[in-house]
Amino acid sequence: MTPRSATPAATTLPARRTRYLTRVAAFACAAVLTLCAPLADAWGPEGHAIVADIAQQHLDPAAAAQVRTLLGVEGLQRLDQISSWADGNRKERPHTGSWHYVDIPLHANSYVPARDCARNNCVIAQISHFAQVLADRSAAPAARLEALKWVVHFVGDVHQPLHAEDDDDKGGNTVQVQFFGRGSNLHAVWDGGVLRHALGLVPGPNYSFDHAAVQAAAMRLDEAISPADRTAWSAIGGLPALYHQTVSWAGESHTLARDVAYAHLDGRNQAGWSQRYQDLAWPVTRTRLQQGGVRLAAVLNELLGG
Ligand code: ADE
Ligand code: ZN
Ligand code: ZN
């Protein structure tokens, strides 16, 4: 039998007051933990940089020249320098928050635009939108550079499994977990926890990270892509086909979220779970970064090629 606490009538006033204060404190702590847990909204900056670095390696000469010209508008050189811009300006553009993901219900069978992307406020619609601006050679260079920033970022985001699902938990943001001894949440584990652990990366303040270490990791991931995978992942088709491709990439993410990310949460507060989960999640994360990079290059080659 579960031991019961004493009835209120049997307790003294100071004891009741202490219990009340304890409850208030517990509630406040829980609220603070929930509110202050990092509300992760994208691959961390390292993940986006890896996708951008892999893509940079595989631009056609014509696309590379256009990318160089557009980046040059702001004196920049490489795609990884713009890959997290979309996260950096979230406070000034609150309406763009939902552009980073698509909330396909975790147990739904497929993407339903009217349900999952109302008023085009999701990553699938926004990739198509900004791809059109980027491809428009008559648009102002500054507008095309901004479109490039969104496309580079969102092609990464749509490959993050938890950016294509929702289980009434903000894509896993409200699922608290202990990951390698630190309080985190399921979404943050997939945004950055798993890849940082696998690659030995330590994040710095304000989205900063060790560019050299991340670039080296990206090159290792790129070299490990088989020729057959690279060919399969590079098949994009024209602009209209890009929409169907992004739906398909979101579908892959959704399946991985359901079958991997959410399917192995049992025992998540017990010793040993983090390593078991890491061993399942890293191969998936690794492939998604590789696919994101190869597909981003294919998209840019398609939109900016000669
Ligand atoms: N907020 C609500 N759903 C989300 C998702 N799938 N990814 C990131 N943030 C979200
Ligand atoms: Zn994002
Ligand atoms: Zn995220």
Side-chain angles (χ1 to χ4, degrees), residues 65-85:
Q66 287 222 33
V67 163
R68 211 175 304 120
T69 305
L70 291 176
L71 290 174
V73 170
E74 292 185 0
L76 303 170
Q77 287 88 34
R78 294 183 49 85
L79 291 175
D80 60 4
Q81 295 174 289
I82 57 166
S83 60
S84 286
W85 168 88

Side-chain angles (χ1 to χ4, degrees), residues 6-301:
T7 60
T11 48
T12 61
L13 201 58
R16 266 154 67 190
R17 186 177 301 139
T18 307
R19 215 168 48 212
Y20 171 74
L21 289 175
T22 309
R23 275 197 205 129
V24 168
F27 176 79
C29 288
V32 165
L33 277 177
T34 307
L35 292 173
C36 298
L39 193 64
D41 298 299
W43 288 117
E46 304 94 334
H48 283 289
I50 288 172
V51 168
D53 285 340
I54 294 176
Q56 182 95 44
Q57 288 294 104
H58 299 286
L59 295 178
D60 293 345
Q66 287 222 33
V67 163
R68 211 175 304 120
T69 305
L70 291 176
L71 290 174
V73 170
E74 292 185 0
L76 303 170
Q77 287 88 34
R78 294 183 49 85
L79 291 175
D80 60 4
Q81 295 174 289
I82 57 166
S83 60
S84 286
W85 168 88
D87 280 332
N89 70 3
R90 298 275 297 260
K91 286 205 188 78
E92 296 100 76
R93 304 171 194 241
H95 65 286
T96 66
S98 61
W99 295 359
H100 295 248
Y101 54 85
V102 53
D103 275 348
I104 305 171
L106 187 64
H107 297 287
N109 288 324
S110 60
Y111 167 64
V112 176
R115 180 192 63 199
D116 308 332
C117 197
R119 296 176 301 283
N120 290 332
N121 276 323
C122 82
V123 68
I124 290 174
Q126 295 303 321
I127 289 176
S128 286
H129 169 68
F130 286 114
Q132 279 173 47
V133 179
L134 179 57
D136 180 358
R137 317 259 160 136
S138 67
R144 292 182 72 208
L145 172 58
E146 185 179 313
L148 178 65
K149 293 176 183 178
W150 290 115
V151 168
V152 168
H153 185 86
F154 289 154
V155 171
D157 272 347
V158 77
H159 282 80
Q160 206 282 52
L162 275 67
H163 276 243
E165 63 78 29
D166 184 56
D167 196 26
D168 286 332
D169 61 358
K170 299 194 184 306
N173 271 296
T174 64
V175 179
Q176 303 301 313
V177 298
Q178 285 286 320
F179 196 58
F180 292 109
R182 302 186 68 174
S184 187
N185 68 66
L186 184 61
H187 192 97
V189 164
W190 282 83
D191 267 350
V194 169
L195 76 93
R196 283 186 200 119
H197 189 82
L199 300 174
L201 301 171
V202 182
N206 302 325
Y207 293 104
S208 63
F209 58 91
D210 180 343
H211 276 263
V214 168
Q215 243 178 57
M219 293 309 99
R220 287 200 304 275
L221 289 192
D222 186 33
E223 282 158 18
I225 301 170
S226 74
D229 279 345
R230 196 181 295 281
T231 306
W233 298 341
S234 297
I236 293 289
L239 249 184
L242 176 60
Y243 171 77
H244 299 287
Q245 294 285 349
T246 49
V247 171
S248 155
W249 302 339
E252 294 168 354
S253 280
H254 178 264
T255 301
L256 291 167
R258 189 192 58 211
D259 295 351
V260 182
Y262 281 80
H264 300 279
L265 292 176
D266 283 355
R268 65 179 184 265
N269 293 319
Q270 290 160 16
W273 176 81
S274 298
Q275 190 60 56
R276 284 199 306 280
Y277 199 76
Q278 174 75 17
D279 292 344
L280 286 164
W282 170 237
V284 171
T285 301
R286 186 174 181 274
T287 303
R288 294 309 273 166
L289 294 170
Q290 291 170 322
Q291 288 175 322
V294 170
R295 287 165 171 170
L296 175 59
V299 168
L300 297 179
N301 288 338

